[in-house]
Amino acid sequence: MNSKTITLFVGALVLIIIGMFTFAYVKRADIEKEDMSEQVPVDQTAYDGIERIDAKHFYINGVHTLAGEILMPTPCDLLEHDFVIMESYPEQVVVDFTVINNADICAQVVTPQRFLVSFSASEEADIRATLQQRSVILNLVPAAAGETPDDFELYIKG
């Protein structure tokens, strides 16, 4: 082989390699543009950091009572709750916590908001919770024998 053929071969190889890297770069940029355009903006709220709710669980005479507190980002956050009992056995109960905050300006001070939820269901009921329509972990701590919701202090550890 002469030097002219080797030079042409090496030049063609370099052009092919440059073309491959350019093609890969352009395709990656197109894919990133598609990913950004397909993403639906997610509304971020101050309550997204709350992923777990701890509550003391009482079951007395067919009535479940959940007592606890949730740490809210501001003292202006008011905690409300509702529950839905689904017809099955054992019943499936979803306790839905919602937050109302109509304040324009409020100090950003973490403040505990207490709750007491009572509902009738079988002892084997499956109890879950949502906060602002988002599923959260519900950590139920069983009440000690003889303990009632009336004399319960809202200090939960664990």
Side-chain angles (χ1 to χ4, degrees):
M1 285 192 163
N2 61 22
S3 66
K4 201 181 232 185
T5 307
I6 293 173
T7 305
L8 284 173
F9 181 74
V10 170
L13 189 61
V14 168
L15 286 175
I16 290 172
I17 292 172
I18 290 172
M20 287 174 34
F21 279 107
T22 305
F23 180 77
Y25 176 79
V26 169
K27 281 297 182 186
R28 184 175 50 200
D30 287 345
I31 290 172
E32 288 176 1
K33 283 181 188 175
E34 285 179 15
D35 288 346
M36 294 299 277
S37 65
E38 290 178 5
Q39 288 181 354
V40 178
V42 178
D43 292 336
Q44 296 291 326
T45 67
Y47 317 108
D48 288 345
I50 301 171
E51 297 176 356
R52 176 179 155 158
I53 297 174
D54 296 323
K56 191 81 158 196
H57 180 223
F58 301 90
Y59 183 73
I60 302 170
N61 298 330
V63 176
H64 291 269
T65 303
L66 309 179
E69 62 186 25
I70 302 174
L71 295 177
M72 292 293 164
T74 71
C76 301
D77 296 324
L78 301 176
L79 187 63
E80 288 191 342
H81 56 79
D82 195 10
F83 59 87
V84 177
I85 302 175
M86 293 170 227
E87 298 284 331
S88 63
Y89 191 82
E91 296 94 342
Q92 296 177 10
V93 181
V94 178
V95 181
D96 183 31
F97 293 98
T98 55
V99 181
I100 298 173
N101 186 338
N102 295 328
D104 292 331
I105 299 173
C106 194
Q108 297 294 313
V109 178
V110 177
T111 307
Q113 290 290 324
R114 296 178 177 188
F115 63 87
L116 184 69
V117 182
S118 295
F119 54 88
S120 296
S122 67
E123 189 170 5
E124 298 85 21
D126 179 27
I127 306 170
R128 298 182 185 159
T130 61
L131 176 66
Q132 296 294 91
Q133 301 175 346
R134 183 179 48 85
S135 184
V136 294
I137 298 168
L138 181 61
N139 180 34
L140 296 178
V141 179
E147 196 174 18
T148 65
D150 296 333
D151 55 20
F152 174 68
E153 290 184 39
L154 286 173
Y155 176 74
I156 299 172
K157 200 172 187 181

